[in-house]
Amino acid sequence: METTIFVIIALIAGGGIGFGIAKYLEKNTASSLLKTAENEAKTILKDAKNEGENIKKDKILQAKEKFLELKAEHEQVILARDKKMAEAEKRTRDKESQISLELSKAKKAADENEKLLADYQTKLEKLEGQKEEVEKLRREQLDKLEQVAGLTTEEAKTQLISSMKEEAKASAMSYIQNTIEEAKMTAQQEAKKIIINTIQRVGTEEAIENCVSVFNIESDDVKGRIIGREGRNIRALEAATGVEIIVDDTPEAIILSCFDPIRREIARLSLHRLVTDGRIHPARIEEVVAKTQKQIEEEIIEVGKRTVIDLGIHGLHPELIKMVGRMKYRSSYGQNLLHHSREVARLCGLMAAELGLNVKLAKRAGLLHDIGKVPETESDLPHALLGMQLAEKFGEKAEVCNAIGAHHDEIEMTALISPIIQVCDAISGARPGARRQVLDSYIQRLKDLESIAYGFNGIKNAYAIQAGRELRVIVDCEKVSDEMAANLSFEISQKIQTEMTYPGQVKVTVIRETRSVNIAK
């Protein structure tokens, strides 16, 4: 027990001695570290002070160098300015000397002009005196002439003027008469020449419009999808486009019927998109029809722009360009209105060039002459007057407006190009096959032509050909002679002219032939 206590006391004493030794060593270490840090700090401060002195000296040297550079530049600027001022002073002195020289010359010239003016004034006074003497002598001579002739000056002047008027009038009447006779001899020949040359230089394809369009399909299976369940698709399509859609037994074809070509084209394009896409239902139909309508409107504007560019017409109002584009989807007696208007424009340009008139103005009037047929709103006015109002509204020239309004004689022609528009419109419409009337009236007109021919004696057969532009008559050679055939052709043409109404001309051809037939047995 005592041993254990002694061990514990010894351990405690040893721990205390160890702790004291540790504290002493720690104190000595800290003291040495502090002294080392103080020495390093002094060294750093000394180095920093030396470096600062060096930097200060460098900065002072740099400042001195910059000052010297700026001073040199300033001196150069001052020298350049002094040089410019010296040059300006020299130019000023030169100009002053030049002005002084010019002033002296001007003063000298003024003195000379004053001298010349004085001489001119003297000569003028002398001429005035001579003029008075000449006038006095003239009056004396006139008095002597009046005494000799027994007439006063006014009476003689009146007689001379009267005789000269009569002579000039007679010469003018003779010249006018000769000119009129010459014009009558050549006018018809020249007019035919101009018209024939113009027609020969313009050749266009005739486009006949129908009231139906055929939509081709790959197979008849598509018809069921277009009709839809209980016909809902076809009803939606007809309601959206306003076109009657006929789905019958015709193989691989669907008929679109509508009098309005624009609506018919919208329906055709919409059907094409729907069939290509494959999704056919009422909502999709309405969406496709709306997109197609927008596409057609853009195409109308584009067609109008291309047309006016092709014809070389500039400065046309955008609304008129849109109307020109709408002509593509309009027809007149079956003739496509845009093709007709383009042809009339070209014909007018050629005729105006032959006659020495304004070609661009004639083309402009020819293109716009039928714009009254394509308004967006209906009107009771004739299309010529409506077209004239539209042209006036959109700033066209008076000559163009008059040509549009007068091409069917609704108003009086006041412009030189007006009769040209009327003639070219008739030429374009009178081409064989260019226009087509309603089928019944067309057939009736052909029957009437043949009936007129059968009304004369000696007629074997009569045929109306070339869309009613020619009547070919075959006569009996035993009843009609060659002289009678020529007379018969004239009589038939006169009867057609008085009894029928038709566009253009009808050519009457009478054929008489003799045949000798024998049979060899």
Side-chain angles (χ1 to χ4, degrees):
M1 184 70 179
E2 292 178 358
T3 303
T4 303
I5 293 170
F6 179 78
V7 171
I8 292 170
I9 293 170
L11 288 172
I12 293 169
I17 293 168
F19 180 75
I21 293 170
K23 284 290 183 179
Y24 176 76
L25 292 175
E26 182 180 358
K27 184 177 181 182
N28 290 335
T29 304
S31 177
S32 62
L33 289 173
L34 182 61
K35 288 179 180 180
T36 304
E38 288 177 355
N39 294 330
E40 289 180 354
K42 289 178 180 180
T43 304
I44 291 171
L45 287 172
K46 186 177 180 180
D47 293 340
K49 186 176 180 181
N50 294 333
E51 187 176 356
E53 290 294 331
N54 293 332
I55 293 172
K56 181 178 179 182
K57 290 178 181 179
D58 292 339
K59 293 295 182 182
I60 291 170
L61 289 174
Q62 290 178 3
K64 287 180 179 180
E65 290 176 357
K66 188 67 176 179
F67 173 74
L68 292 174
E69 290 178 0
L70 293 174
K71 184 179 179 182
E73 291 178 359
H74 182 65
E75 289 175 354
Q76 289 179 359
V77 170
I78 291 172
L79 289 173
R81 186 176 62 185
D82 293 341
K83 186 178 179 181
K84 288 183 180 178
M85 289 178 65
E87 292 176 354
E89 289 177 357
K90 183 180 178 182
R91 287 197 299 271
T92 304
R93 286 194 298 271
D94 293 341
K95 286 184 179 179
E96 287 177 353
S97 60
Q98 186 178 359
I99 290 170
S100 300
L101 182 61
E102 291 178 354
L103 284 173
S104 62
K105 289 182 181 179
K107 186 175 180 182
K108 186 177 179 181
D111 295 337
E112 292 178 356
N113 289 335
E114 288 180 358
K115 186 177 179 182
L116 290 172
L117 185 61
D119 294 340
Y120 175 75
Q121 191 69 27
T122 304
K123 290 180 181 179
L124 186 61
E125 291 175 356
K126 190 182 291 185
L127 287 173
E128 288 291 335
Q130 292 177 357
K131 183 179 178 181
E132 291 177 358
E133 293 178 2
V134 170
E135 185 66 23
K136 184 178 179 181
L137 290 173
R138 191 181 70 82
R139 284 197 298 270
E140 291 177 356
Q141 289 178 355
L142 286 175
D143 292 339
K144 290 179 181 179
L145 286 172
E146 288 177 1
Q147 291 175 2
V148 173
L151 294 172
T152 63
T153 305
E154 294 298 328
E155 291 174 350
K157 190 184 295 184
T158 303
Q159 289 184 4
L160 180 61
I161 291 172
S162 178
S163 63
M164 290 179 69
K165 281 184 177 179
E166 292 296 329
E167 184 178 354
K169 186 176 180 180
S171 299
M173 290 298 294
S174 176
Y175 177 75
I176 291 171
Q177 187 65 29
N178 292 335
T179 304
I180 291 173
E181 290 178 359
E182 184 180 355
K184 286 181 179 179
M185 292 174 62
T186 60
Q188 189 173 5
Q189 182 179 358
E190 288 297 321
K192 288 181 179 179
K193 180 181 176 182
I194 290 173
I195 291 173
I196 290 171
N197 289 337
T198 303
I199 294 173
Q200 287 176 344
R201 291 173 63 183
V202 176
T204 60
E205 297 180 358
E206 301 301 342
I208 302 300
E209 299 290 341
N210 298 314
C211 289
V212 296
S213 296
V214 179
F215 177 73
N216 296 314
I217 55 178
E218 295 180 357
S219 65
D220 290 341
D221 296 338
V222 180
K223 291 183 179 179
R225 294 166 56 197
I226 292 174
I227 295 171
R229 183 181 300 174
E230 298 178 356
R232 63 173 187 171
N233 289 344
I234 196 170
R235 285 197 302 271
L237 193 56
E238 288 179 345
T241 60
V243 174
E244 183 181 2
I245 301 174
I246 302 171
V247 181
D248 53 15
D249 296 334
T250 306
E252 299 181 354
I254 294 174
I255 307 299
L256 308 177
S257 175
C258 181
F259 71 93
D260 188 342
I262 296 180
R263 282 155 48 183
R264 206 163 60 242
E265 182 68 8
I266 290 172
R268 189 186 68 79
L269 292 176
S270 300
L271 263 178
H272 178 72
R273 286 186 175 183
L274 290 168
V275 171
T276 303
D277 184 48
R279 294 176 294 166
I280 306 176
H281 52 82
R284 177 64 177 164
I285 288 170
E286 293 178 359
E287 179 185 352
V288 169
V289 169
K291 289 181 179 179
T292 307
Q293 287 176 343
K294 186 176 180 181
Q295 177 188 344
I296 290 293
E297 290 175 1
E298 293 173 354
E299 183 181 351
I300 284 171
I301 297 173
E302 185 63 27
V303 168
K305 289 180 179 179
R306 285 202 306 268
T307 301
V308 297
I309 290 172
D310 291 345
L311 294 174
I313 298 172
H314 305 286
L316 204 63
H317 194 279
E319 285 297 325
L320 293 179
I321 292 177
K322 190 175 179 181
M323 290 182 184
V324 171
R326 255 201 315 269
M327 288 181 182
K328 178 182 178 182
Y329 300 101
R330 290 288 185 272
S331 61
S332 177
Y333 295 99
Q335 185 181 26
N336 183 271
L337 198 56
L338 180 60
H339 292 178
H340 167 64
S341 298
R342 288 171 64 101
E343 184 179 13
V344 171
R346 291 196 180 96
L347 290 168
C348 291
L350 293 173
M351 280 197 179
E354 292 287 341
L355 298 172
L357 300 177
N358 191 326
V359 175
K360 292 185 178 180
L361 210 62
K363 282 187 176 181
R364 199 182 193 95
L367 179 64
L368 300 177
H369 79 284
D370 270 347
I371 58 171
K373 292 183 179 180
V374 289
E376 293 183 351
T377 58
E378 296 295 330
S379 175
D380 295 333
L381 287 175
H383 76 274
L385 297 181
L386 182 58
M388 181 181 70
Q389 289 183 0
L390 291 171
E392 291 173 348
K393 177 181 177 182
F394 296 117
E396 290 298 316
K397 292 184 178 180
E399 296 93 330
V400 176
C401 297
N402 179 258
I404 295 172
H407 78 278
H408 284 313
D409 294 323
E410 274 86 1
I411 62 172
E412 182 182 356
M413 295 183 182
T414 58
L416 290 175
I417 62 173
S418 297
I420 296 177
I421 307 302
Q422 189 179 53
V423 169
C424 294
D425 180 41
I427 290 172
S428 176
R431 284 180 181 273
R435 291 188 173 184
R436 186 181 66 194
Q437 296 171 313
V438 179
L439 184 61
D440 293 340
S441 60
Y442 167 72
I443 294 174
Q444 186 62 42
R445 183 165 66 86
L446 298 186
K447 288 181 178 179
D448 292 341
L449 276 175
E450 295 177 355
S451 299
I452 288 175
Y454 283 119
F456 292 85
N457 294 326
I459 306 299
K460 289 177 64 177
N461 295 303
Y463 304 105
I465 60 176
Q466 293 193 12
R469 306 295 182 186
E470 182 179 352
L471 180 63
R472 189 163 294 176
V473 181
I474 301 173
V475 299
D476 189 347
C477 62
E478 296 180 356
K479 296 181 180 179
V480 180
S481 62
D482 289 340
E483 293 79 7
M484 292 173 64
N487 187 45
L488 186 63
S489 174
F490 176 76
E491 290 179 356
I492 294 174
S493 65
Q494 292 299 308
K495 190 170 183 180
I496 292 172
Q497 187 172 340
T498 55
E499 295 184 4
M500 294 190 64
T501 302
Y502 50 89
Q505 298 177 342
V506 178
K507 179 182 178 182
V508 179
T509 303
V510 175
I511 300 173
R512 179 182 181 274
E513 62 180 2
T514 304
R515 294 185 182 182
S516 299
V517 180
N518 288 301
I519 300 173
K521 296 182 180 179

